[in-house]
Amino acid sequence: GEDVEQSLFLSVREGDSSVINCTYTDSSSTYLYWYKQEPGAGLQLLTYIFSNMDMKQDQRLTVLLNKKDKHLSLRIADTQTGDSAIYFCAERVDNYGQNFVFGPGTRLSVLP
Amino acid sequence: EAQVTQNPRYLITVTGKKLTVTCSQNMNHEYMSWYRQDPGLGLRQIYYSMNVEVTDKGDVPEGYKVSRKEKRNFPLILESPSPNQTSLYFCASSLAGGTYEQYFGPGTRLTVT
């Protein structure tokens, strides 16, 4: 079945850039998402990219999509301590329904 | 305030005792889903609903039931809970179109002993 993979942990220094990577298996996915989960809270959408795009930039966030390699990345520029959270990559795998597959999440720790 | 609410937030129960976790959204969203979150596994979809009286299985539906009698509510029912259903559960809703952005509830931490 469909699978989304991410590394589980990432540590960066405050002010550096963070890059979180994700690989997915369903080549028919129309939307790919990055969600952020802060401690004790639900998930919030951070950004998304449509499958016919290669890149999307939104302030400090840059999303890169390589459809050939089924690879998605999220770059956070000038990482701050408030960016410490778990980041989930997700794909919408069913164009007629509401079937989403999430990765295991990458825990980002920002060191002062 | 636009939101998804879940109740209860925390629940400790015993094996076999039927329970219901409620979920309600005030955004008039057509789509609603239930997920469970387990360490190292991320979120796995249990069931989803595309509208009133329309539900379908996600990736891990065994041991769960859902119903969608009203657009705003989507309860999750565990008829006979078992310890392997100990988990953090999230309800989510979204519009039927656009980017399908999901809005998540705050989560329900369930422990089955």
Side-chain angles (χ1 to χ4, degrees):
Chain A
E2 297 82 9
D3 198 16
V4 176
E5 296 185 351
Q6 303 175 237
S7 54
L8 296 183
F9 301 98
L10 177 65
S11 289
V12 300
R13 292 266 174 213
E14 193 172 14
D16 288 350
S17 290
S18 309
V19 179
I20 303 172
N21 294 300
C22 166
T23 56
Y24 60 97
T25 56
D26 191 330
S27 58
S28 65
S29 296
T30 52
Y31 284 99
L32 295 126
Y33 308 85
W34 285 104
Y35 281 85
K36 178 182 180 182
Q37 184 182 33
E38 297 186 356
L43 280 70
Q44 283 190 298
L45 183 69
L46 203 57
T47 188
Y48 68 91
I49 189 165
F50 192 56
S51 59
N52 67 357
M53 299 167 68
D54 298 322
M55 185 182 87
K56 180 180 180 183
Q57 189 149 3
D58 184 2
Q59 299 182 334
R60 292 190 297 124
L61 306 177
T62 303
V63 179
L64 296 177
L65 175 60
N66 181 329
K67 286 195 73 175
K68 175 174 167 288
D69 295 336
K70 299 192 184 72
H71 183 266
L72 183 73
S73 68
L74 172 70
R75 179 177 179 269
I76 305 173
D78 187 24
T79 313
Q80 303 297 307
T81 54
D83 294 323
S84 293
I86 302 176
Y87 292 81
F88 291 92
C89 173
E91 58 173 343
R92 181 169 178 261
V93 299
D94 181 353
N95 287 333
Y96 302 101
Q98 190 66 346
N99 191 212
F100 291 85
V101 177
F102 282 76
T106 299
R107 184 179 293 275
L108 175 63
S109 299
V110 182
L111 309 172
Chain B
E1 181 192 351
Q3 61 183 349
V4 178
T5 56
Q6 296 178 226
N7 281 293
R9 295 289 314 277
Y10 302 90
L11 179 59
I12 300 174
T13 189
V14 296
T15 299
K17 186 176 180 183
K18 180 179 178 180
L19 66 92
T20 299
V21 184
T22 64
C23 172
S24 184
Q25 49 93 5
N26 62 1
M27 295 169 279
N28 202 36
H29 285 167
E30 291 84 5
Y31 289 173
M32 296 185 77
S33 291
W34 274 104
Y35 295 88
R36 60 178 289 173
Q37 183 180 15
D38 301 291
L41 297 176
L43 272 74
R44 292 179 292 168
Q45 196 170 35
I46 302 170
Y47 269 96
Y48 61 90
S49 170
M50 295 169 67
N51 215 322
V52 175
E53 303 291 3
V54 181
T55 63
D56 207 349
K57 295 177 181 178
D59 296 320
V60 288
E62 294 77 21
Y64 305 94
K65 282 176 57 176
V66 293
S67 69
R68 187 95 181 269
K69 293 183 170 50
E70 304 165 282
K71 195 172 185 179
R72 63 183 294 126
N73 296 323
F74 190 44
L76 178 70
I77 302 155
L78 285 72
E79 295 267 4
S80 182
S82 62
N84 65 11
Q85 293 178 297
T86 292
S87 188
L88 180 58
Y89 291 86
F90 288 100
C91 180
S93 72
S94 69
L95 287 169
T99 62
Y100 301 93
E101 173 187 355
Q102 294 188 86
Y103 293 79
F104 282 82
T108 295
R109 187 166 291 282
L110 172 65
T111 302
V112 183
T113 61

